[in-house]
Amino acid sequence: MNLTRPFRLMWTPGSQYDYSNTNTILLGMVVEQVMGRPIADIYQEWLFGPLQMGRTSYPNNCDIPDPHPTPYFVDRVTGVSEECFVVNLSTLGSSGGMVTTLEDFRKWGKALGDGHFVGRRLHKLRMAHARPATSGPEYDR
C-alpha cells in the first residue's frame, strides 16, 4: 500500500455501493480484542447457543462436518466445472467460515430477519436504511 498518494474517493458517498467484507472482518477483530477470546467462542456463546443451533460451527481447520456439498469452480465462459479443494474456513475471518445445516440456518435467518439480537428500535432503523445493492456478488443483489 502506498501511503504517500492522497486518498481519492471512487464515487460520491451514498451514490453507489461496492461489496466488501472489510467491515465484518474488522468488527470481528474488534470483538476478539475487546472480549479477549476467539470469535468462534463468541459465536458459540452469543449466537449458536442462544438460538439452539447445535449443528453449527466455526471450524479452524479444513474438516467440514458431513454431510456437506462438494465445492466446484465453474468457468463462466465455458460452463466447465472443476472440483476444488477445501480451504480452512477461518481464513474468511468473521465474514464467513461458519458451517451449518438448513435447520440451523432457518433459525439464524428468522433471528436476523426479526431483529432478535439488536432489538426493535435498532432493527427498525436498520430496515429503514436498507437499499438494494448496485454491485457485488449476485447473491447480495
Side-chain angles (χ1 to χ4, degrees), residues 66-125:
D66 285 325
H68 64 82
T70 302
Y72 289 92
F73 289 117
V74 178
D75 185 307
R76 289 184 179 198
V77 176
T78 66
V80 174
S81 62
E82 178 182 337
E83 188 173 333
C84 63
F85 54 89
V86 176
V87 298
N88 184 327
L89 296 178
S90 70
T91 61
L92 302 171
S94 54
S95 70
M98 290 185 217
V99 175
T100 192
T101 62
L102 186 55
E103 181 183 341
D104 279 4
F105 193 59
R106 283 188 187 125
K107 293 175 185 178
W108 163 249
K110 182 174 181 336
L112 181 65
D114 68 15
H116 179 83
F117 288 107
V118 297
R120 283 183 174 203
R121 190 169 151 203
L122 184 56
H123 180 63
K124 185 176 179 181
L125 178 67

